[in-house]
Amino acid sequence: MPCEFRMIHRVEFADTDMAGIIHFASYFRYMEVTEHAFFRSLGFSINTRTPEAEVGWPRVHVSCDFKRPLRFEDEVEVHLRVREKREKSLTYDFTFRKVNPSIEVAHGSLTVVCVAVDPETDQMKAVSIPDPIARQIEAAPEEVMI
Amino acid sequence: MPCEFRMIHRVEFADTDMAGIIHFASYFRYMEVTEHAFFRSLGFSINTRTPEAEVGWPRVHVSCDFKRPLRFEDEVEVHLRVREKREKSLTYDFTFRKVNPSIEVAHGSLTVVCVAVDPETDQMKAVSIPDPIARQIEAAPEEVMI
Amino acid sequence: MPCEFRMIHRVEFADTDMAGIIHFASYFRYMEVTEHAFFRSLGFSINTRTPEAEVGWPRVHVSCDFKRPLRFEDEVEVHLRVREKREKSLTYDFTFRKVNPSIEVAHGSLTVVCVAVDPETDQMKAVSIPDPIARQIEAAPEEVMI
Amino acid sequence: MPCEFRMIHRVEFADTDMAGIIHFASYFRYMEVTEHAFFRSLGFSINTRTPEAEVGWPRVHVSCDFKRPLRFEDEVEVHLRVREKREKSLTYDFTFRKVNPSIEVAHGSLTVVCVAVDPETDQMKAVSIPDPIARQIEAAPEEVMI
């Protein structure tokens, strides 16, 4: 059962800033794009309509540690691992490795909650991860967490 | 009847790129933010729900000419003028002047169409600008268009 | 001699806005990413250091016409064509076709000027496109411009 | 000696996504804009050239916790507090309060390192915070950290 996913990103010009390196917020774009590609790899869209409701995945906690800068046109491999799977939430860890030379440049995480919009109140509330999705995702084993 | 609006923006760090100057797409952010502030100045939100429908304003044509670069922390005055008002669309011109020294740095335009989502087809279709809005906006006189 | 380039982009979540469709400024990101991939396909980086100077390509005119919306996870083929090649500038046309179903959704253009930073004044000034680059790029024939 | 700073931001259209609420990465834009306004309030630019070198402030750790969503045109007060001041780094805490009604919506942090580019290696290395800046900033007292 899938617990990880890898994806290569390239640092684009608009991802840089006047310091000549990648702007730190770009890492969150890469995390999110990788999360959504992970869902597609399982046959789902992150924007899923179940028979009961349309579910979404707002973030409740995000973080990133930066070790080395990335520069324009660098390729970076983003390695997503499911750190924790709960009834209504998922936590992903992300390791960023520059491709050439291969070197870890950053480490991030996203904790996301599965929500549905209550049609009566128009408010989002946490719901159980829909079964078809929950059955496809598991937490990565401890030993994979290097 | 209002036909223009002015707003000061500051070039933020994330708006720059590795060339050390503002990234060109940032001008479109400033145009849009100014357009929406113009609507608020009239007592409306750009995201308007009329008794009949929720109307939106997708862009059909946008452009920008760049004369001089802006840099981090520069202040720029964005001067919006309504160039054309039609039954279902508006065209805005935007002049960008750096504040200090005062110098024109760019000139842009947005042509936007008033649409409502057809609840049956879930498609957007052009509709007449709602009366309360249409009554508040007029095209700027020719002679203002320097 | 190359005069065109094609690249597939996917509409990412952060490229959308509350209207539920792609934000219009995202098209400029796709144009620029395609332009830079075109340069890499020729063996260059857009960020080129020649023996004389480091050249850059600020934009002097950009535009985009929008025909149909794109939505989250849509794939779009961006077709870059060199419309005009001058001594110090290039103009690209971009046609955006949604991949499935294949349908044109937008048409854009970028006019870019080759500049070098004058080390004495720290100002950018237009310079001739470096020979190694100029020799690799030509304007697309008229008949290709459908 | 200053240890905090407050700034109001408005959620702009481009800051939202198709979920109809603010995109989570926008909070990092607001944190950074507030950090830079804090520096300006002290008479400095974040982009400071000292007699010795040009110093910058790359991030080494960033995080954000999200409690409630923000929506288009919401005003949010960002309250920056200096949590820790070390010889070569600063840690800021940020509390985000929606203005109307006043309610805490998020809490973030940035840890930034003062660096200078070594002209010989073109690499960034951590340096002591320049005196004129260090003399102007102090950590907020514990009791302010509610």
Side-chain angles (χ1 to χ4, degrees):
Chain A
M1 201 153 65
C3 62
E4 59 178 342
F5 185 76
R6 291 167 193 271
M7 188 175 188
I8 305 278
H9 297 259
R10 186 185 296 278
V11 179
E12 300 295 350
F13 200 79
D15 299 338
T16 65
D17 59 40
M18 63 184 286
I21 59 176
I22 187 175
H23 188 264
F24 78 101
S26 304
Y27 289 86
F28 290 104
R29 179 182 173 95
Y30 302 166
M31 288 189 226
E32 182 168 89
V33 169
T34 305
E35 172 200 16
H36 295 179
F38 172 55
F39 261 58
R40 279 195 301 277
S41 77
L42 305 177
F44 300 109
S45 171
I46 203 73
N47 187 40
T48 304
R49 188 178 289 277
T50 70
E52 293 81 33
E54 188 167 342
V55 301
W57 299 87
R59 290 76 177 82
V60 291
H61 176 72
V62 306
S63 70
C64 200
D65 290 279
F66 307 100
K67 298 174 181 172
R68 285 180 183 75
L70 288 170
R71 292 172 194 279
F72 176 54
E73 295 193 329
D74 281 348
E75 285 181 295
V76 58
E77 186 194 65
V78 183
H79 181 192
L80 171 159
R81 286 170 299 185
V82 180
R83 190 211 303 164
E84 190 178 32
K85 174 190 169 186
R86 303 183 67 171
E87 191 198 336
K88 302 178 178 183
S89 70
L90 293 169
T91 295
Y92 305 104
D93 280 329
F94 297 86
T95 306
F96 295 79
R97 290 191 77 82
K98 188 176 163 176
V99 170
N100 185 10
S102 176
I103 190 166
E104 187 174 327
V105 294
H107 185 86
S109 75
L110 300 181
T111 298
V112 302
V113 173
C114 188
V115 304
V117 172
D118 184 319
E120 294 195 3
T121 63
D122 205 31
Q123 299 291 304
M124 299 186 302
K125 62 170 187 186
V127 296
S128 298
I129 299 173
D131 257 9
I133 297 174
R135 278 199 304 267
Q136 291 265 354
I137 296 176
E138 68 178 351
E142 282 283 337
E143 57 270 30
V144 173
M145 301 295 183
I146 298 164
Chain B
M1 201 154 61
C3 63
E4 60 178 341
F5 186 76
R6 291 167 193 270
M7 188 176 188
I8 304 280
H9 297 259
R10 187 185 294 279
V11 179
E12 301 295 349
F13 200 79
D15 298 338
T16 65
D17 59 41
M18 63 184 288
I21 58 174
I22 187 175
H23 188 264
F24 77 101
S26 304
Y27 290 87
F28 291 104
R29 178 182 173 94
Y30 302 164
M31 287 190 227
E32 184 169 87
V33 169
T34 306
E35 172 199 15
H36 295 179
F38 172 56
F39 261 58
R40 279 195 301 276
S41 76
L42 303 178
F44 300 108
S45 171
I46 202 73
N47 187 40
T48 304
R49 187 178 291 277
T50 69
E52 294 81 34
E54 188 168 342
V55 301
W57 299 88
R59 290 75 177 82
V60 292
H61 176 73
V62 305
S63 70
C64 200
D65 290 279
F66 307 100
K67 297 174 181 172
R68 286 179 182 77
L70 287 170
R71 294 175 192 277
F72 176 54
E73 294 191 330
D74 281 349
E75 285 182 294
V76 59
E77 186 193 64
V78 183
H79 181 192
L80 171 158
R81 286 170 298 185
V82 179
R83 190 210 303 164
E84 189 177 33
K85 174 189 169 188
R86 304 182 64 170
E87 190 199 334
K88 303 179 178 181
S89 70
L90 293 169
T91 295
Y92 304 104
D93 280 329
F94 298 86
T95 305
F96 294 78
R97 290 190 77 82
K98 188 176 164 176
V99 170
N100 185 10
S102 176
I103 190 167
E104 187 174 327
V105 294
H107 186 87
S109 74
L110 300 181
T111 298
V112 302
V113 173
C114 188
V115 304
V117 173
D118 184 320
E120 295 194 3
T121 64
D122 205 32
Q123 298 292 304
M124 298 186 302
K125 64 170 186 185
V127 296
S128 298
I129 299 173
D131 256 8
I133 298 174
R135 277 198 304 266
Q136 291 265 354
I137 297 175
E138 68 178 350
E142 283 283 337
E143 56 271 29
V144 173
M145 303 293 184
I146 299 163
Chain C
M1 201 154 66
C3 63
E4 60 177 342
F5 186 75
R6 292 167 193 269
M7 188 177 189
I8 305 279
H9 297 259
R10 186 184 296 279
V11 178
E12 299 295 351
F13 200 79
D15 298 339
T16 64
D17 60 39
M18 65 184 285
I21 58 175
I22 188 175
H23 188 264
F24 78 102
S26 304
Y27 289 86
F28 291 104
R29 179 182 173 96
Y30 302 164
M31 287 189 227
E32 181 168 88
V33 169
T34 305
E35 173 199 15
H36 295 179
F38 172 56
F39 262 57
R40 279 195 301 277
S41 77
L42 303 178
F44 301 108
S45 171
I46 202 74
N47 188 40
T48 303
R49 188 178 290 277
T50 69
E52 294 82 32
E54 188 168 342
V55 301
W57 299 86
R59 289 76 178 84
V60 291
H61 176 73
V62 306
S63 69
C64 199
D65 290 279
F66 307 100
K67 297 175 183 172
R68 286 180 182 76
L70 286 171
R71 294 173 192 278
F72 176 54
E73 295 191 329
D74 281 349
E75 286 180 294
V76 59
E77 187 193 65
V78 183
H79 181 193
L80 172 158
R81 286 170 299 185
V82 179
R83 191 210 304 163
E84 191 179 30
K85 175 189 170 188
R86 304 181 65 169
E87 190 198 335
K88 303 179 179 183
S89 70
L90 292 170
T91 296
Y92 305 104
D93 280 328
F94 297 87
T95 305
F96 295 79
R97 290 190 78 83
K98 187 176 165 178
V99 169
N100 185 9
S102 176
I103 190 166
E104 187 174 326
V105 294
H107 186 86
S109 75
L110 300 180
T111 299
V112 303
V113 173
C114 189
V115 304
V117 172
D118 185 319
E120 296 195 1
T121 64
D122 204 33
Q123 298 291 305
M124 300 185 301
K125 63 170 186 186
V127 296
S128 298
I129 300 173
D131 255 8
I133 297 173
R135 276 198 304 268
Q136 291 265 353
I137 295 175
E138 68 178 352
E142 283 283 337
E143 56 270 30
V144 174
M145 302 294 182
I146 297 164
Chain D
M1 203 154 63
C3 63
E4 59 178 342
F5 186 76
R6 292 168 193 269
M7 187 177 188
I8 305 277
H9 297 259
R10 188 185 293 279
V11 178
E12 300 295 351
F13 200 79
D15 298 338
T16 65
D17 60 38
M18 63 184 287
I21 58 176
I22 187 175
H23 189 263
F24 78 102
S26 304
Y27 289 86
F28 291 104
R29 177 183 174 95
Y30 301 165
M31 287 190 228
E32 183 169 87
V33 169
T34 305
E35 172 200 15
H36 295 179
F38 172 56
F39 262 57
R40 278 195 302 275
S41 76
L42 304 177
F44 300 108
S45 170
I46 202 73
N47 187 41
T48 304
R49 187 179 291 276
T50 70
E52 294 81 34
E54 188 168 341
V55 301
W57 299 88
R59 290 77 178 81
V60 291
H61 176 73
V62 306
S63 70
C64 200
D65 290 279
F66 308 100
K67 297 175 181 171
R68 285 180 183 76
L70 287 170
R71 294 173 193 279
F72 175 54
E73 294 190 330
D74 281 349
E75 284 180 295
V76 59
E77 186 194 64
V78 183
H79 181 192
L80 172 157
R81 286 171 298 184
V82 179
R83 191 209 304 162
E84 191 178 30
K85 174 190 169 187
R86 304 182 65 169
E87 190 197 337
K88 302 179 178 182
S89 69
L90 293 169
T91 295
Y92 305 104
D93 280 328
F94 297 87
T95 305
F96 294 79
R97 290 190 77 83
K98 187 175 164 177
V99 170
N100 186 8
S102 176
I103 190 167
E104 187 175 327
V105 294
H107 186 86
S109 76
L110 300 181
T111 298
V112 302
V113 173
C114 188
V115 304
V117 173
D118 184 320
E120 295 195 3
T121 65
D122 204 32
Q123 299 291 304
M124 299 185 302
K125 64 171 184 183
V127 297
S128 298
I129 300 174
D131 257 7
I133 298 174
R135 278 198 304 268
Q136 291 264 355
I137 296 176
E138 69 179 351
E142 282 282 337
E143 57 271 29
V144 173
M145 302 294 183
I146 298 164

